[in-house]
Amino acid sequence: MTAERVNPPELSPAAGFSHAVVATGSRVVFLAGQTALDGDGKVVGETLPEQFERALANLLTALRAAGGTPADLARVTVYATNVADYRAHAPELGRVWRRLAGRDYPAMAVIGAVRLWDTEALVELDGFAVLA
């Protein structure tokens, strides 16, 4: 995939995301929502950063299984049960993202959710990638 990250100077500075991603490739991979489920289907992690790390790792595992890499991500949506908590932990979550996925940020959004499918889940990530 080739990806051009577009961050127009007219918009607020993009930190931890890109305003737009122009992706060209031949395959699109749609990634289902991933929470902090372990291999036995149990939510792991007590805190939002712990759950975010596991959910992101799960998303990247699905992506790699489909033949992609973190740089292929064009869009990720984060669903958080407590947006204020997400904002409070943003620097830590950014460090987790960079460690697991690098600095090629996709277009992103954070959406507040009353609850997620698994009642213990604090955060869920889904998205899509474009592969060459």
Side-chain angles (χ1 to χ4, degrees), residues 35-85:
T35 60
L37 292 178
D38 66 11
D40 293 324
K42 296 185 183 353
V43 173
V44 296
E46 299 285 322
T47 68
L48 180 95
E50 291 170 336
Q51 287 197 18
F52 180 85
E53 182 167 354
R54 183 58 184 250
L56 177 58
N58 289 346
L59 188 80
L60 296 176
T61 297
L63 175 59
R64 286 186 183 99
T69 69
D72 296 323
L73 286 169
R75 171 86 178 155
V76 170
T77 303
V78 178
Y79 304 90
T81 59
N82 185 331
V83 175
D85 193 31

Side-chain angles (χ1 to χ4, degrees), residues 1-131:
M1 171 190 84
T2 61
E4 175 189 0
R5 274 112 176 118
V6 181
N7 293 298
E10 301 85 4
L11 298 177
S12 64
F17 70 97
S18 295
H19 283 290
V21 176
V22 179
T24 55
S26 60
R27 294 176 50 215
V28 177
V29 177
F30 294 91
L31 299 160
Q34 298 293 326
T35 60
L37 292 178
D38 66 11
D40 293 324
K42 296 185 183 353
V43 173
V44 296
E46 299 285 322
T47 68
L48 180 95
E50 291 170 336
Q51 287 197 18
F52 180 85
E53 182 167 354
R54 183 58 184 250
L56 177 58
N58 289 346
L59 188 80
L60 296 176
T61 297
L63 175 59
R64 286 186 183 99
T69 69
D72 296 323
L73 286 169
R75 171 86 178 155
V76 170
T77 303
V78 178
Y79 304 90
T81 59
N82 185 331
V83 175
D85 193 31
Y86 188 94
R87 287 180 61 99
H89 286 98
E92 183 178 357
L93 300 177
R95 287 189 293 276
V96 169
W97 181 278
R98 288 187 296 278
R99 183 167 39 82
L100 297 181
R103 292 184 175 271
D104 292 326
Y105 299 112
M108 294 182 74
V110 177
I111 308 294
V114 174
R115 66 158 288 212
L116 300 169
W117 183 264
D118 296 300
T119 57
E120 305 87 3
L122 303 174
V123 65
E124 182 170 338
L125 288 81
D126 73 10
F128 70 89
V130 179
L131 284 57

